[in-house]
Amino acid sequence: MAYTTIDNPGLFFNTVLYAGSNSSQSVTGVGFQPDWVWIKNRSSTPDHKLHDRVRGSNKSITTNNNATEQTYTYFTSFDSDGFTLEGNVSDYNQNSSNFVSWNWLAGGSTSSNGDGSITSTVSVNSTSGFSIVSYVGGGASSATVGHGLGATPAMIIVKNRSITEEWRVWHQDLSGSTYKLSLNSTGAEDSSATVFNGQSSTTFTVGSDPSVSGSGNNIIAYCFKEVKGYSKFGSYTGNGNADGPFIYTGFRPAFLIIKPSSKVEEWTLLDNKRLGYNIDNNYVYPNQNYAEMTADRLDILSNGFKLRSATGELNTSSATMIYMAFAEHPFVTEGTKAAGTAR
């Protein structure tokens, strides 16, 4: 039996830990030149910091608030095996602090995309199903934006860079094409055709809401499609029990974000690199600037994850929980039946 899958997910996503210093340092070990880097100080409470090559290395946005894009001199370049930082600053490189960086490969270079009514600039990796999409809002009641994936996205994350506006998230397991969540908020899903109003293999549709379509505003979108052996964008129903549900992903997760879509609860981010093993895995909240926390939350397994907590943000009884996951190792590799191992 032949399998279509990514056999080496580390070529497209990798978590790298590093210690802050007092001065310039190159963070290495990513394994590729990243196009999107998300950084969090694990030791204390600075904001999450996101940089991508489409916006430029010195442009930062923050998931735990609705602030505009900022220009900083602390993140100076995307390098062949990581990135370079400058200065002793708590958000990126504070001496005596520990940091985590999550790194994705997109397409490196950018191209103009005219599939939508708004022309976008995209950096797309069709193999891993990830595109970074930059566009200028038109303020229209309905507009389409080309994403370059060649398939209908499973998840879209959008931020208006120019004005103070909510992060907007659409996920294929929300209640419909017009439903949304806010990455910087604990709020439950709701429907608004003025934000999202349809997704296709070439475009996503936005309404007139300033968060996704502010007239003349610079807007960035991170778009994902599912790729076997590498990524999964799904949902499960919580049971409110420490013996929680098992979620099959088809790979051993390297990265997880989970959010109850039907309840007011935190977003939770876990990975396979920070100190903590089954059952005691470390986590942060993307919508909060809190330092890293540790608790009995879930087991990371060779083919998915198993909830080990009744905590509301991961396992609310009868609630729908959406997730995004990227792989450390596929459960089944191309043309084989080899499987990864649990921790």
Side-chain angles (χ1 to χ4, degrees), residues 117-118 137-144 193-194 206-209 212-215:
S117 60
I118 295 175
S141 58
S142 181
T144 54
T194 64
V206 295
S208 58
D209 192 277
V212 294
S213 194
S215 182

Side-chain angles (χ1 to χ4, degrees), residues 22 27-28 31 47 50 77 140 151 169 174 185 190-191 194 205 218 234 239 251-252 269 272 310-311:
N22 282 318
V27 177
T28 60
D47 295 333
L50 280 63
S77 65
V169 178
L174 295 180
S185 167
D190 64 351
S191 177
T194 64
T205 302
N218 294 315
N239 67 5
F251 52 77
R252 182 170 64 217
L269 191 164
N272 64 332
T311 182

